[in-house]
Amino acid sequence: SQTIHQWPATLVQPVGSPLSLECTVEGTSNPNLYWYRQAAGRGLQLLFYSVGIGQISSEVPQNLSASRPQDRQFILSSKKLLLSDSGFYLCAWSPRLWYEQFFGPGTRLTVL
Amino acid sequence: GIQVEQSPPDLILQEGANSTLRCNFSDSVNNLQWFHQNPWGQLINLFYIPSGTKQNGRLSATTVATERYSLLYISSSQTTDSGVYFCAVMAGFNKFYFGSGTKLNVKP
């Protein structure tokens, strides 16, 4: 069966510091991968998606970037965090040609 | 982008009651999912339902794509059903949009 992991689970970072969040999927190959952000009490907003290694599409211009160095690894990064980057970050995957999404446990990021 | 509206925004039920949650979307979609977000933030898949009706235990869902809405039915609610229910649609290639959710509180 497929599983999706995210780490860290929680993170507190000062403004201006860098960020790296990691997501890995097991039990499948060639998945579509997604990064979402959820503000408190709100729905999810799609940030990035990837259909393959090195292929990243950005949905929202922002202070963040994403990379996919391996087939089942998706990384969310920032060079300098802003207060507005605080939130709950969720990674998801879907089969390549069947767009049912499955979510990881998420990372709670607080920028102080 | 597409607009996804969920209603009601908040719902309080007594244990054992039934409820219907609604999701309206503003344009044609390629697929639709319902999720339950538990108090720890985990999104749990309930239904993948681009059209038609599906049932899973006490839960069922119906999507009428031509009329741009989907309904989630919860019967005989339990306290463990509490949390936030999200509807998500895909319009275009990998373009996913979530509603703002329905926050459900089931009281014992």
Side-chain angles (χ1 to χ4, degrees):
Chain A
S1 63
Q2 300 85 12
T3 56
I4 178 168
H5 304 279
Q6 286 187 245
W7 63 89
T10 60
L11 190 60
V12 180
Q13 292 285 91
V15 170
S17 63
L19 174 73
S20 181
L21 303 181
E22 191 164 344
C23 170
T24 59
V25 181
E26 297 178 353
T28 187
S29 58
N30 301 316
N32 297 315
L33 295 174
Y34 310 86
W35 278 112
Y36 286 86
R37 176 168 59 201
Q38 184 179 28
R42 303 285 296 275
L44 280 69
Q45 182 183 36
L46 180 63
L47 302 176
F48 301 95
Y49 70 87
S50 171
V51 299
I53 295 174
Q55 301 179 62
I56 308 296
S57 294
S58 174
E59 291 301 297
V60 180
Q62 60 209 307
N63 185 43
L64 302 169
S65 61
S67 61
R68 184 170 177 173
Q70 300 180 41
D71 180 48
R72 291 170 290 175
Q73 184 184 30
F74 206 21
I75 297 172
L76 184 68
S77 303
S78 173
K79 293 182 179 178
K80 289 185 178 182
L81 284 168
L82 306 173
L83 287 174
S84 58
D85 292 323
S86 293
F88 188 45
Y89 288 84
L90 291 135
C91 180
W93 76 275
S94 75
R96 175 54 57 89
L97 297 177
W98 180 261
Y99 299 95
E100 181 177 6
Q101 294 192 313
F102 299 89
F103 282 81
T107 295
R108 295 195 184 276
L109 172 66
T110 303
V111 182
L112 300 175
Chain B
I2 193 169
Q3 305 302 312
V4 182
E5 296 181 354
Q6 291 188 242
S7 60
D10 295 280
L11 185 59
I12 300 173
L13 296 175
Q14 206 64 35
E15 198 168 27
N18 303 329
S19 63
T20 301
L21 282 58
R22 187 177 182 100
C23 172
N24 292 334
F25 39 97
S26 61
D27 206 342
S28 300
V29 299
N30 300 326
N31 66 39
L32 186 145
Q33 284 186 260
W34 282 98
F35 298 92
H36 175 214
Q37 188 169 38
N38 67 21
W40 298 271
Q42 178 72 53
L43 277 162
I44 300 164
N45 289 42
L46 297 178
F47 293 102
Y48 174 80
I49 186 166
S51 63
T53 298
K54 291 186 177 180
Q55 182 160 6
N56 184 3
R58 296 181 295 104
L59 302 181
S60 64
T62 295
T63 296
V64 184
T66 53
E67 297 186 18
R68 300 179 184 170
Y69 74 89
S70 183
L71 302 174
L72 178 68
Y73 306 96
I74 304 174
S75 64
S76 303
S77 58
Q78 301 175 359
T79 56
T80 52
D81 294 331
S82 296
V84 184
Y85 289 81
F86 287 105
C87 164
V89 303
M90 187 178 90
F93 180 68
N94 273 319
K95 304 289 186 183
F96 287 90
Y97 302 90
F98 275 70
S100 296
T102 292
K103 187 174 183 179
L104 175 63
N105 184 7
V106 181
K107 297 190 170 182

